[in-house]
Amino acid sequence: MSDRFHEWMAALEARHLADLRFPDVTRALRALSSAYVERRATLARGAALAGAGKRAAFALFYGPLHYLVVRHVVGALPDATGGLPTLIDLGCGTGASGAAWADACTTTTPHLIGVDRNSWALAEAMRTYRDFGLQARVRRDDITTVKLHTGRALVLVAFALNELPDGARDRLLPRFLERIAQGDRVLVVEPLAGFVAPWWNRWQESFQSVGGRADEWRFRADLPPIVAKLDRAAGLHHGELTGRSLWSG
Ligand SMILES: C[S@@+](CC[C@H](N)C(=O)[O-])C[C@H]1O[C@@H](n2cnc3c(N)ncnc32)[C@H](O)[C@@H]1O
């Protein structure tokens, strides 16, 4: 990983462990993981980012994991790192996934537009983008209705579609297909676990019908020390990172 990644991690650790003790963040991480697995109905109400502990756990643990997964995915997909002038990071959270893609772009480093409904997440995303030296702006909006930037763009929605109500997510699919027809490159990343995304097969068929592809990913990654420590303390097992993606480039 780059120096910027390590500096970003050091800044996250300093910021999120300034007012909370490690055991508090561990407890919040267990609650957050259980919200993602067993109490999924609470996600649409924004429960994942409610409270300082869960926010710290998300920023310090899931953000870096998402960075590592997206970095791996864009490095492996053909033509994903060429870059375009703009990258729209939908449901950007703390900005980790968008930063991973933008930072991997080789010929053109895109200007980022982060969109999320949560103001705390947007402030964190601005810091993340800045820590990676990326030009960026953020916008508080609902990703299911937001008016998207009109020029050609990379469009990313990472680990966010599964939080949307079914009807709202269904309405996003034709908008993505339209963007692909206009020449955008669209990347969807979600957890591998099938129960998180029962809608996946339908989305996969739609992406494939316009020349896109679907992949599943499993790889071993060196976790940053604080992430590995939280993983052990919370009894989670992220020695192997996984995910799945839809890509149309
Ligand atoms: C699990 S986080 C993923 C964040 C980021 N994309 C990443 O990969 O780390 C999901 C994010 O989607 C946002 N979100 C969920 N539903 C949304 C909606 N309807 N409009 C805007 N943001 C939404 C949440 O606020 C949260 O920040």
Side-chain angles (χ1 to χ4, degrees):
M1 280 298 135
S2 65
D3 288 348
R4 275 185 174 154
F5 177 83
H6 294 299
E7 284 159 21
W8 174 59
M9 283 305 312
L12 283 177
E13 193 170 340
R15 192 157 70 246
H16 293 290
L17 289 176
D19 298 325
L20 291 168
R21 295 172 318 127
F22 182 81
D24 300 329
V25 180
T26 304
R27 200 171 318 113
L29 176 57
R30 283 199 200 100
L32 188 55
S33 306
S34 129
Y36 284 136
V37 178
E38 292 141 28
R39 290 179 288 112
R40 298 194 51 73
T42 62
L43 296 176
R45 298 198 301 270
L49 299 180
K54 283 198 218 155
R55 289 175 177 184
F58 185 82
L60 208 46
F61 187 77
Y62 283 108
L65 289 184
H66 293 172
Y67 178 100
L68 292 170
V69 171
V70 169
R71 183 84 194 198
H72 180 83
V73 169
V74 298
L77 285 172
D79 305 325
T81 55
L84 282 175
T86 306
L87 192 165
I88 306 170
D89 187 0
L90 291 173
C92 62
T94 58
S97 294
W101 192 3
D103 195 42
C105 288
T106 47
T107 42
T108 309
T109 302
H111 179 115
L112 272 142
I113 303 174
V115 183
D116 205 286
R117 64 182 175 187
N118 183 293
S119 335
W120 168 82
L122 291 172
E124 279 291 312
M126 262 326 272
R127 285 181 194 241
T128 297
Y129 300 146
R130 211 179 304 133
D131 285 350
F132 281 91
L134 298 162
Q135 298 287 319
R137 64 191 152 92
V138 292
R139 174 162 168 187
R140 184 163 183 222
D141 213 328
D142 187 321
I143 60 172
T144 63
T145 50
V146 63
K147 196 167 179 312
L148 295 178
H149 168 86
T150 49
R152 275 188 78 203
L154 306 173
V155 179
L156 172 66
V157 56
F159 304 101
L161 283 184
N162 72 77
E163 293 193 8
L164 300 178
D166 290 343
R169 187 176 45 249
D170 287 350
R171 286 190 293 279
L172 262 183
L173 179 57
R175 292 183 69 195
F176 282 168
L177 298 177
E178 224 171 86
R179 298 291 303 209
I180 291 167
Q182 286 165 16
D184 284 357
R185 298 177 183 169
V186 178
L187 176 63
V188 174
V189 184
E190 285 290 330
L192 199 50
F195 69 88
V196 172
W199 42 271
W200 187 260
N201 288 349
R202 206 157 29 81
W203 277 64
Q204 173 171 338
E205 282 161 19
S206 297
F207 267 65
Q208 286 169 336
S209 74
V210 295
R213 58 186 274 170
D215 293 278
E216 295 192 348
W217 308 94
R218 280 180 191 281
F219 63 101
R220 296 207 75 79
D222 275 339
L223 299 183
I226 185 65
V227 176
K229 192 172 163 193
L230 282 166
D231 197 46
R232 276 193 305 276
L236 305 172
H237 300 285
H238 288 87
E240 182 181 65
L241 297 186
T242 61
R244 56 182 164 175
S245 62
L246 300 173
W247 164 244
S248 180

